[in-house]
Amino acid sequence: MRHRSLLILTSVLTTGALTLTACGSRDEGKGGGDNAGGTTTVVIGVDAPLTGSLSALGQGIKNSVDLAVKTANKDKVVPGVTFKIEALDDQAVPASGQANATKLVGNKDVLGVVGPLNSGVSQQMQGVFAAANLAQVSPANTNPSLSQGDNWGKGEFKRPFKTYFRTAATDVVQGKFAAQYLFKDAGKKKVFVVDDKQTYGAGLAAIFSAEFKRLGGQVVGTDHVTVKETDFSSTADKVKASGADSVYFGGQYPEGGLLSDQIKKTGAKIPVMGGDGIYDPAFISASAEANDGDLATSIGFPVEKLDTAKKFIADYNAGGYKDPYAAYGGYSYDAGWAIIQAVKAVVEANGGKLPSDARAKVTEALGKVSFDGVTGKVSFDEYGDTTNKQLTVYKVEGGKWIDVKSDTFNQ
């Protein structure tokens, strides 16, 4: 899900975005109040797949940021500032994400963006945001190259864009954690590895495979599937013939659920494991065959079991949102709240108002935020990566995802 290409913004657009007298629009009101009788509107952009096969995750991202904004406004977290969101649909398509990034950059009131879901989409957005000093915080991107550069696998770490942050742990952490669980806890020694040829899936599968083999396990076969296809019978037959005792799938739940179904129809009653891309109820419902025993890793600890998430869950349920907060809700709320805290710091440092270079200042402030969020401690390292390395393994039991192991991963 990632091929990086920089979109060269026109000098007029870039200059306009950076030389506003106060990046943010004024809503003058009657009867006094902060900021000389009015409030400044600050927009937090949201980019996610709001339609299509991944919309269950995208809607959860959007709604959770919306809740953060509403909470900030209700509690007057930043006096004189009213927050709003502008949510755009990328349909999990990189080109759409890039177009959305350009649109968000063009809105002078946008001082930060939450998203996207997909790492490949983010590759096409990063350069657009960086050219305008507009910060983005992804609640779901896991590909290491987005923050640590293309040569991270060689031990060469270089942050490509200072405007990029994420509240999700990377695939380095997730892939190794999955391999260790499958080999040590589940006792599987012969795995067949499949990926969907996308940046997220292929990258995760590669990290998993390297760690599984390092532990002493055997990769008995590999194959690839194509996104949005539905017939994976040839792959399923290869899995059956390989004698594998498990399958690792790098990809998303629409293909993952069908792959699990078709593997089990061959008579190979072995677990399929994947990353956070398959951790969704739709993975289970996509399989006509019972897939109890299938496994998934996901970032963080189960939100429902975190004391820090109780208020978020109660407020979300009371908010009347049609869709659940899903796998990334807590991380999306924290991403939105990080931007809000950065805006707060910038406003306080500038005498209670936004400076002319608000976008650059917010980006700088984001690197210093630290607070207790829905998902635990929220802060970022020198690469913009989350310092929270908590992960959980889930297993399908009785048609539901049940958490079976949570731990803090230390590389």
Side-chain angles (χ1 to χ4, degrees), residues 39-44 65-85 333 337 340:
T39 63
T40 298
T41 296
V42 169
V43 176
I44 296 178
V65 179
D66 180 71
L67 178 60
V69 162
K70 288 178 177 176
T71 301
N73 290 337
K74 177 173 67 71
D75 296 343
K76 295 182 171 57
V77 171
V78 187
V81 170
T82 298
F83 291 96
K84 295 181 180 179
I85 71 167
Y333 186 99
W337 202 255
I340 291 166

Side-chain angles (χ1 to χ4, degrees), residues 372-389:
D372 293 322
V374 173
T375 59
K377 192 72 174 181
V378 178
S379 61
F380 306 100
D381 65 17
E382 66 269 34
Y383 303 103
D385 286 333
T386 179
T387 57
N388 186 338
K389 310 296 187 189

Side-chain angles (χ1 to χ4, degrees), residues 253-265 269-270 272 280-292 294 396 399 401:
Y253 62 77
E255 293 76 31
L258 292 174
L259 178 64
S260 176
D261 177 68
Q262 292 169 34
I263 288 172
K264 288 167 178 59
K265 283 178 177 175
K269 304 300 184 182
I270 58 177
V272 172
D280 192 276
F283 171 85
I284 301 171
S285 62
S287 178
E289 295 287 312
N291 56 354
D292 280 17
D294 283 354
V396 179
W401 287 111

Side-chain angles (χ1 to χ4, degrees), residues 78-140:
V78 187
V81 170
T82 298
F83 291 96
K84 295 181 180 179
I85 71 167
E86 180 177 356
L88 301 179
D89 180 14
D90 63 32
Q91 297 181 311
V93 176
S96 297
Q98 187 178 67
N100 290 347
T102 302
K103 182 177 181 180
L104 291 168
V105 163
N107 181 347
K108 64 182 176 60
D109 295 339
V110 177
L111 296 188
V113 178
V114 176
L117 168 72
N118 305 92
S119 295
V121 175
S122 198
Q123 277 190 326
Q124 298 297 322
M125 304 177 80
Q126 287 182 304
V128 181
F129 291 137
N133 277 328
L134 180 58
Q136 71 171 119
V137 187
S138 173

Side-chain angles (χ1 to χ4, degrees), residues 100-183:
N100 290 347
T102 302
K103 182 177 181 180
L104 291 168
V105 163
N107 181 347
K108 64 182 176 60
D109 295 339
V110 177
L111 296 188
V113 178
V114 176
L117 168 72
N118 305 92
S119 295
V121 175
S122 198
Q123 277 190 326
Q124 298 297 322
M125 304 177 80
Q126 287 182 304
V128 181
F129 291 137
N133 277 328
L134 180 58
Q136 71 171 119
V137 187
S138 173
N141 292 167
T142 55
N143 188 281
S145 65
L146 294 171
S147 57
Q148 299 176 17
D150 291 334
N151 293 324
W152 65 267
K154 300 177 182 178
E156 300 171 12
F157 305 107
K158 183 178 180 181
R159 188 177 184 181
F161 301 105
K162 66 180 182 180
T163 49
Y164 181 81
F165 301 83
R166 55 176 140 201
T167 54
T170 72
D171 288 337
V172 174
V173 178
Q174 189 173 195
K176 289 183 178 180
F177 187 66
Q180 291 179 13
Y181 180 87
L182 193 64
F183 184 84

Side-chain angles (χ1 to χ4, degrees), residues 14-68:
T14 303
T15 304
L18 297 177
T19 60
L20 300 167
T21 52
C23 287
S25 61
R26 299 273 297 174
D27 297 321
E28 297 300 334
K30 297 179 180 180
D34 294 300
N35 283 353
T39 63
T40 298
T41 296
V42 169
V43 176
I44 296 178
V46 179
D47 178 86
L50 304 178
T51 59
S53 62
L54 298 178
S55 61
L57 298 175
Q59 290 292 339
I61 291 172
K62 181 196 73 173
N63 294 342
S64 299
V65 179
D66 180 71
L67 178 60

